[in-house]
Coordinates of all heavy atoms in Angstrom, one line a residue:
M1 N 10.2 37.2 63.5 CA 10.8 38.1 64.5 C 9.8 39.1 65.1 O 9.8 39.4 66.3 CB 12.0 38.8 63.8 CG 12.9 39.5 64.8 SD 13.7 38.3 65.8 CE 15.2 39.1 66.0
R2 N 8.9 39.6 64.3 CA 7.9 40.5 64.8 C 7.0 39.9 65.9 O 6.6 40.6 66.8 CB 7.1 41.0 63.6 CG 6.0 42.0 63.9 CD 6.5 43.3 64.1 NE 5.4 44.2 64.4 CZ 5.4 45.2 65.3 NH1 6.5 45.4 66.0 NH2 4.4 45.9 65.6
I3 N 6.7 38.7 65.7 CA 5.8 38.0 66.7 C 6.5 37.9 68.0 O 6.0 38.2 69.1 CB 5.4 36.6 66.2 CG1 4.5 36.7 65.0 CG2 4.8 35.8 67.3 CD1 4.2 35.4 64.3
Q4 N 7.8 37.6 68.0 CA 8.6 37.6 69.2 C 8.6 38.9 69.9 O 8.5 39.0 71.1 CB 10.1 37.1 68.9 CG 10.9 36.9 70.2 CD 12.2 36.2 69.9 OE1 13.2 36.8 70.3 NE2 12.3 35.1 69.2
E5 N 8.7 40.0 69.2 CA 8.7 41.3 69.8 C 7.4 41.6 70.4 O 7.3 42.3 71.5 CB 9.1 42.4 68.7 CG 10.5 42.3 68.2 CD 11.6 42.3 69.2 OE1 11.5 43.2 70.2 OE2 12.5 41.5 69.2
E6 N 6.3 41.2 69.8 CA 5.0 41.4 70.4 C 4.8 40.6 71.7 O 4.3 41.1 72.6 CB 3.9 41.1 69.4 CG 3.8 42.1 68.2 CD 3.4 43.5 68.7 OE1 2.5 43.6 69.6 OE2 4.0 44.4 68.2
I7 N 5.3 39.4 71.7 CA 5.3 38.6 72.9 C 6.1 39.2 74.0 O 5.6 39.3 75.1 CB 5.7 37.1 72.6 CG1 4.8 36.4 71.6 CG2 5.9 36.3 73.9 CD1 5.3 35.1 71.1
K8 N 7.3 39.7 73.7 CA 8.1 40.3 74.7 C 7.4 41.6 75.2 O 7.4 41.8 76.4 CB 9.4 40.8 74.1 CG 10.4 39.7 73.9 CD 11.7 40.3 73.5 CE 12.6 39.5 72.6 NZ 13.8 40.2 72.2
K9 N 6.8 42.3 74.4 CA 6.0 43.5 74.8 C 4.9 43.2 75.8 O 4.8 43.8 76.8 CB 5.4 44.2 73.6 CG 4.7 45.5 73.8 CD 4.3 46.1 72.5 CE 3.3 47.2 72.7 NZ 2.8 47.7 71.4
E10 N 4.2 42.1 75.5 CA 3.1 41.7 76.4 C 3.7 41.1 77.7 O 3.1 41.4 78.8 CB 2.2 40.6 75.7 CG 1.4 41.2 74.6 CD 0.5 42.3 75.1 OE1 -0.2 42.1 76.1 OE2 0.4 43.3 74.4
L11 N 4.8 40.4 77.6 CA 5.4 39.9 78.8 C 5.9 41.0 79.7 O 5.7 41.0 81.0 CB 6.6 39.0 78.5 CG 6.2 37.6 77.9 CD1 7.5 36.9 77.4 CD2 5.5 36.7 78.9
L12 N 6.5 42.0 79.1 CA 7.0 43.2 79.9 C 5.8 43.9 80.5 O 5.9 44.3 81.7 CB 7.8 44.1 79.0 CG 9.2 43.8 78.8 CD1 9.9 44.8 77.8 CD2 10.0 43.6 80.1
K13 N 4.7 44.0 79.8 CA 3.5 44.7 80.4 C 3.1 44.0 81.6 O 2.8 44.6 82.6 CB 2.4 44.7 79.3 CG 1.7 46.1 79.2 CD 0.5 46.1 78.4 CE 0.7 45.7 76.9 NZ -0.5 45.8 76.1
E14 N 3.0 42.6 81.5 CA 2.6 41.8 82.7 C 3.6 41.9 83.8 O 3.2 42.1 85.0 CB 2.5 40.4 82.3 CG 1.9 39.5 83.4 CD 1.7 38.0 82.9 OE1 1.6 37.8 81.7 OE2 1.7 37.2 83.8
V15 N 4.9 41.9 83.6 CA 5.9 42.0 84.6 C 5.8 43.3 85.3 O 5.9 43.5 86.5 CB 7.3 41.6 84.1 CG1 8.4 41.9 85.1 CG2 7.4 40.2 83.7
Y16 N 5.7 44.4 84.4 CA 5.7 45.7 85.0 C 4.5 45.9 85.9 O 4.5 46.5 87.0 CB 5.6 46.8 83.9 CG 6.9 47.0 83.1 CD1 8.1 46.4 83.4 CD2 6.9 48.0 82.1 CE1 9.2 46.6 82.7 CE2 8.1 48.2 81.4 CZ 9.2 47.5 81.7 OH 10.4 47.8 81.1
G17 N 3.3 45.3 85.5 CA 2.2 45.3 86.4 C 2.4 44.6 87.7 O 2.0 45.1 88.8
N18 N 3.1 43.5 87.6 CA 3.5 42.8 88.9 C 4.4 43.6 89.8 O 4.3 43.6 91.0 CB 4.1 41.4 88.6 CG 3.1 40.5 88.0 OD1 1.9 40.6 88.2 ND2 3.6 39.5 87.2
I19 N 5.3 44.3 89.1 CA 6.2 45.2 89.9 C 5.4 46.3 90.6 O 5.7 46.7 91.7 CB 7.4 45.7 89.0 CG1 8.3 44.6 88.6 CG2 8.2 46.8 89.7 CD1 9.3 44.9 87.6
D20 N 4.5 46.9 89.8 CA 3.6 47.9 90.4 C 2.8 47.3 91.6 O 2.6 48.0 92.6 CB 2.7 48.5 89.4 CG 3.4 49.3 88.3 OD1 4.5 49.7 88.5 OD2 2.8 49.5 87.2
N21 N 2.4 46.1 91.5 CA 1.7 45.4 92.6 C 2.6 45.2 93.8 O 2.2 45.3 95.0 CB 1.2 44.0 92.2 CG 0.0 44.2 91.2 OD1 -0.6 45.2 91.1 ND2 -0.2 43.1 90.5
I22 N 3.9 45.0 93.6 CA 4.9 44.9 94.7 C 4.9 46.2 95.4 O 4.9 46.3 96.7 CB 6.3 44.5 94.2 CG1 6.3 43.1 93.7 CG2 7.3 44.7 95.3 CD1 7.5 42.7 92.9
Y23 N 5.0 47.3 94.7 CA 5.0 48.6 95.3 C 3.7 48.8 96.1 O 3.8 49.3 97.3 CB 5.2 49.8 94.3 CG 5.0 51.1 95.0 CD1 6.1 51.6 95.8 CD2 3.8 51.8 95.0 CE1 5.9 52.8 96.5 CE2 3.7 53.0 95.7 CZ 4.8 53.5 96.4 OH 4.6 54.7 97.1
D24 N 2.6 48.5 95.5 CA 1.3 48.7 96.3 C 1.3 47.8 97.5 O 0.9 48.3 98.6 CB 0.1 48.2 95.4 CG -0.1 49.2 94.2 OD1 0.4 50.3 94.2 OD2 -0.8 48.8 93.2
F25 N 1.8 46.6 97.5 CA 1.9 45.7 98.6 C 2.7 46.4 99.7 O 2.3 46.4 100.9 CB 2.5 44.4 98.2 CG 2.6 43.4 99.3 CD1 1.6 42.5 99.7 CD2 3.8 43.4 100.1 CE1 1.8 41.7 100.7 CE2 4.0 42.5 101.1 CZ 3.0 41.6 101.5
V26 N 3.9 46.8 99.4 CA 4.8 47.4 100.3 C 4.2 48.7 100.9 O 4.2 48.9 102.2 CB 6.2 47.7 99.7 CG1 7.1 48.5 100.6 CG2 6.9 46.4 99.3
S27 N 3.7 49.6 100.1 CA 3.2 50.8 100.6 C 1.9 50.7 101.5 O 1.7 51.5 102.4 CB 2.9 51.8 99.4 OG 1.8 51.4 98.7
L28 N 1.1 49.6 101.2 CA 0.0 49.4 102.1 C 0.3 48.8 103.4 O -0.5 48.9 104.4 CB -1.0 48.5 101.3 CG -1.8 49.2 100.2 CD1 -2.6 48.2 99.4 CD2 -2.7 50.3 100.7
R29 N 1.4 48.0 103.5 CA 1.7 47.3 104.7 C 2.8 47.8 105.5 O 2.9 47.4 106.7 CB 2.0 45.8 104.3 CG 0.7 45.1 103.8 CD 1.0 43.8 103.1 NE -0.2 43.1 102.7 CZ -0.9 43.5 101.6 NH1 -0.6 44.5 100.9 NH2 -2.0 42.8 101.3
F30 N 3.5 48.8 105.0 CA 4.6 49.4 105.8 C 4.5 50.9 105.8 O 4.1 51.5 104.8 CB 6.0 49.0 105.2 CG 6.2 47.5 105.2 CD1 6.0 46.7 104.0 CD2 6.7 46.9 106.3 CE1 6.2 45.4 104.0 CE2 7.0 45.5 106.3 CZ 6.7 44.8 105.2
S31 N 4.8 51.5 106.9 CA 4.7 52.9 107.1 C 6.1 53.4 106.7 O 7.1 53.4 107.5 CB 4.4 53.3 108.5 OG 4.4 54.7 108.6
L32 N 6.3 53.9 105.5 CA 7.6 54.3 105.0 C 7.7 55.9 105.0 O 6.7 56.5 104.6 CB 7.8 53.9 103.5 CG 7.6 52.4 103.3 CD1 7.8 52.1 101.8 CD2 8.6 51.6 104.1
D33 N 8.8 56.4 105.5 CA 9.0 57.8 105.4 C 9.3 58.1 103.9 O 9.5 57.2 103.1 CB 10.1 58.3 106.3 CG 11.5 57.7 106.0 OD1 11.6 57.0 105.0 OD2 12.4 57.9 106.9
K34 N 9.3 59.4 103.6 CA 9.5 59.8 102.2 C 10.8 59.3 101.5 O 10.7 58.7 100.4 CB 9.4 61.3 102.0 CG 9.4 61.8 100.6 CD 9.1 63.2 100.5 CE 9.3 63.6 99.0 NZ 8.2 64.4 98.5
P35 N 11.9 59.4 102.2 CA 13.2 58.9 101.6 C 13.1 57.4 101.3 O 13.6 56.9 100.3 CB 14.3 59.2 102.6 CG 13.7 60.3 103.4 CD 12.2 60.1 103.4
C36 N 12.5 56.6 102.2 CA 12.4 55.2 102.0 C 11.5 54.8 100.9 O 11.7 54.0 100.1 CB 12.0 54.5 103.3 SG 12.1 52.7 103.3
D37 N 10.3 55.5 100.9 CA 9.4 55.3 99.8 C 10.0 55.6 98.4 O 9.9 54.9 97.5 CB 8.1 56.2 100.0 CG 7.1 56.0 99.0 OD1 6.5 54.8 99.0 OD2 6.7 56.9 98.3
E38 N 10.7 56.7 98.4 CA 11.4 57.1 97.1 C 12.5 56.0 96.7 O 12.7 55.7 95.6 CB 12.0 58.5 97.2 CG 11.0 59.6 97.3 CD 11.6 60.9 97.6 OE1 12.8 61.0 97.9 OE2 10.8 61.9 97.5
A39 N 13.2 55.5 97.7 CA 14.2 54.4 97.5 C 13.5 53.2 96.9 O 14.1 52.5 96.0 CB 15.0 54.1 98.8
V40 N 12.4 52.8 97.5 CA 11.6 51.6 97.0 C 11.2 51.9 95.5 O 11.4 51.0 94.7 CB 10.4 51.3 97.9 CG1 9.5 50.3 97.2 CG2 10.8 50.9 99.2
I41 N 10.7 53.0 95.2 CA 10.3 53.4 93.9 C 11.5 53.3 92.9 O 11.4 52.7 91.8 CB 9.6 54.7 93.8 CG1 8.3 54.7 94.5 CG2 9.4 55.2 92.4 CD1 7.6 56.0 94.7
K42 N 12.6 53.9 93.4 CA 13.8 53.9 92.6 C 14.3 52.5 92.2 O 14.6 52.2 91.1 CB 14.9 54.7 93.3 CG 16.2 54.8 92.5 CD 17.3 55.5 93.2 CE 18.5 55.5 92.4 NZ 19.7 56.1 93.1
K43 N 14.3 51.6 93.2 CA 14.8 50.2 93.0 C 13.9 49.5 92.1 O 14.3 48.7 91.3 CB 15.0 49.5 94.3 CG 16.1 50.0 95.2 CD 17.4 49.8 94.4 CE 18.6 50.3 95.2 NZ 19.9 50.2 94.5
L44 N 12.6 49.6 92.3 CA 11.6 49.0 91.4 C 11.7 49.5 90.0 O 11.6 48.7 89.0 CB 10.2 49.1 92.0 CG 9.9 48.3 93.3 CD1 8.5 48.7 93.8 CD2 10.1 46.8 93.1
N45 N 12.0 50.8 89.8 CA 12.2 51.3 88.5 C 13.5 50.8 87.9 O 13.5 50.5 86.7 CB 12.1 52.8 88.5 CG 10.7 53.4 88.6 OD1 9.8 52.7 88.2 ND2 10.6 54.5 89.1
E46 N 14.5 50.6 88.7 CA 15.7 50.0 88.2 C 15.5 48.6 87.7 O 16.0 48.2 86.7 CB 16.8 50.0 89.3 CG 17.4 51.4 89.5 CD 18.3 51.4 90.7 OE1 18.7 50.4 91.3 OE2 18.7 52.6 91.1
L47 N 14.7 47.8 88.5 CA 14.3 46.5 88.1 C 13.6 46.5 86.7 O 13.9 45.7 85.8 CB 13.5 45.8 89.1 CG 13.0 44.4 88.8 CD1 14.1 43.4 88.5 CD2 12.1 43.9 90.0
K48 N 12.7 47.4 86.5 CA 12.0 47.5 85.2 C 13.0 47.8 84.1 O 12.9 47.3 83.0 CB 11.0 48.7 85.3 CG 9.7 48.3 86.1 CD 8.7 49.5 86.1 CE 7.5 49.2 86.8 NZ 6.5 50.3 86.8
D49 N 14.0 48.7 84.4 CA 15.0 49.0 83.4 C 15.8 47.8 83.0 O 16.1 47.6 81.8 CB 15.9 50.2 83.9 CG 15.2 51.5 84.0 OD1 14.1 51.7 83.5 OD2 15.8 52.4 84.7
V50 N 16.2 47.0 84.0 CA 17.0 45.8 83.8 C 16.2 44.8 82.9 O 16.7 44.3 82.0 CB 17.5 45.2 85.1 CG1 18.1 43.8 84.9 CG2 18.5 46.1 85.8
L51 N 15.0 44.6 83.3 CA 14.1 43.7 82.5 C 13.9 44.2 81.1 O 13.9 43.3 80.2 CB 12.8 43.5 83.3 CG 12.9 42.7 84.6 CD1 11.6 42.8 85.4 CD2 13.4 41.3 84.4
Y52 N 13.7 45.5 80.9 CA 13.6 46.0 79.6 C 14.9 45.7 78.8 O 14.8 45.3 77.6 CB 13.3 47.5 79.6 CG 13.2 48.1 78.2 CD1 12.0 47.9 77.5 CD2 14.3 48.7 77.6 CE1 11.9 48.4 76.2 CE2 14.2 49.2 76.4 CZ 13.0 49.1 75.6 OH 13.0 49.6 74.4
K53 N 16.0 46.0 79.4 CA 17.3 45.7 78.7 C 17.5 44.3 78.3 O 17.9 43.9 77.2 CB 18.5 46.2 79.5 CG 19.8 46.2 78.8 CD 20.9 46.9 79.5 CE 20.7 48.4 79.2 NZ 21.8 49.2 79.6
V54 N 17.2 43.4 79.3 CA 17.2 41.9 79.0 C 16.3 41.6 77.9 O 16.7 40.8 77.0 CB 16.9 41.1 80.3 CG1 16.7 39.7 80.0 CG2 18.0 41.3 81.3
S55 N 15.1 42.1 77.9 CA 14.2 41.8 76.8 C 14.7 42.2 75.5 O 14.5 41.5 74.5 CB 12.8 42.4 77.2 OG 11.9 42.3 76.1
S56 N 15.2 43.4 75.4 CA 15.7 43.9 74.1 C 16.9 43.3 73.6 O 17.2 43.3 72.4 CB 15.8 45.5 74.2 OG 16.8 45.8 75.2
L57 N 17.7 42.7 74.5 CA 19.0 42.1 74.1 C 18.9 40.6 73.9 O 19.9 40.0 73.4 CB 20.1 42.4 75.1 CG 20.5 43.9 75.2 CD1 21.5 44.1 76.3 CD2 21.0 44.4 73.9
S58 N 17.8 40.0 74.4 CA 17.7 38.5 74.4 C 16.5 38.0 73.6 O 15.6 38.7 73.4 CB 17.5 38.0 75.8 OG 18.6 38.5 76.6
D59 N 16.7 36.8 73.1 CA 15.6 36.1 72.4 C 14.8 35.3 73.4 O 15.3 35.0 74.5 CB 16.1 35.2 71.3 CG 16.7 35.9 70.2 OD1 16.3 37.0 69.9 OD2 17.6 35.3 69.5
L60 N 13.5 35.0 73.1 CA 12.7 34.2 73.9 C 13.1 32.7 73.8 O 13.6 32.3 72.7 CB 11.2 34.3 73.5 CG 10.6 35.7 73.7 CD1 9.2 35.7 73.1 CD2 10.5 36.0 75.2
N61 N 12.9 31.9 74.8 CA 13.1 30.5 74.7 C 12.0 29.8 74.0 O 10.9 30.2 74.0 CB 13.3 29.9 76.1 CG 14.7 30.2 76.6 OD1 15.6 30.4 75.9 ND2 14.8 30.2 77.9

């Protein structure tokens, strides 16, 4: 079971990095006002939260 937790941790790290890359992509290519930028950050953080919850409640295939 411990190995599975370590694998999940590494997968989440990779996915979180990809989500950060999505933000970088959007912020570099679109001129967002502050409320829109904050909304993008909020939604991407919500995605991270959902993925964390899925990871903690589910087993790997």
